Amino acid sequence: MAAISAVVVVASNRAADGVYEDTSGPILVEGFAERGFNVAGPVVVHDGDEVEQALRDAVDDGYDLVVTSGGTGLTSTDLTPEATSRVVDFEVPGIAEAVRAAGLAKTPHAALSRGICGVARRTLIVNVAGSTGAAKDALTVLTVELLEHAVSQLHDGDHERND
């Protein structure tokens, strides 16, 4: 299988405004690059409409995978799940649940993430909370094996048989 193409989108109003430098996006980019993915980013945008546009652009550009970091909490400015919902054709809840479960093993705050996962055309989109810990936890779930199988399925690949 060809290398997975991925882009990391950071949803952070403060990082987009230059108040501070995001640290979660680079962890995700480095993690995917170490796995041999063709990874771009992190693309830092304001939450809400800018996230939605970045997702639509990534889908139009034909990326296999988009991982967002940030914007999944409970504040009035956390709008990434809603933006993602407007872009995806259908959800893949098991991946979002697995990412939250990985975080819950370390902190109860992981239960507050409203991140979703879904598919837009042939692009898998995964929302991750905006902390460095959440980025590291997501990388434990988003393995090469899982993502290669997901991308294969998105291109109508056959299921492996373990009879």
Side-chain angles (χ1 to χ4, degrees):
M1 174 179 221
I4 291 173
S5 63
V7 62
V8 174
V9 175
V10 174
S12 172
N13 295 330
R14 290 177 291 177
D17 288 339
V19 174
Y20 66 74
E21 192 167 329
D22 169 71
T23 55
S24 61
I27 289 171
L28 291 164
V29 169
E30 183 178 317
F32 292 128
E34 287 173 356
R35 294 167 183 194
F37 295 4
N38 293 326
V39 60
V43 177
V44 179
V45 297
H46 293 92
D47 208 344
D49 292 341
E50 288 184 30
V51 170
E52 182 176 348
Q53 188 59 56
L55 294 175
R56 292 188 186 284
D57 290 346
V59 171
D60 287 345
D61 290 343
Y63 282 99
D64 297 314
L65 173 68
V66 182
V67 177
T68 68
S69 175
T72 66
L74 305 180
T75 74
S76 62
T77 59
D78 287 318
L79 303 170
T80 296
E82 290 77 12
T84 303
S85 290
R86 289 190 295 271
V87 174
V88 299
D89 301 317
F90 59 89
E91 290 192 27
V92 184
I95 293 176
E97 292 164 7
V99 169
R100 266 188 291 280
L104 279 169
K106 298 176 182 165
T107 175
H109 295 163
L112 299 177
S113 174
R114 299 181 305 112
I116 68 168
C117 175
V119 172
R121 287 188 235 156
R122 293 182 183 226
T123 301
L124 181 67
I125 301 173
V126 182
N127 297 158
V128 175
S131 69
T132 57
K136 292 173 186 174
D137 293 339
L139 287 168
T140 67
V141 173
L142 301 174
T143 63
V144 172
E145 179 182 33
L146 174 73
L147 293 174
E148 283 183 344
H149 189 65
V151 169
S152 172
Q153 290 292 290
L154 290 173
H155 292 273
D156 295 326
D158 198 8
H159 289 282
E160 291 181 20
R161 304 285 182 227
N162 296 323
D163 298 342

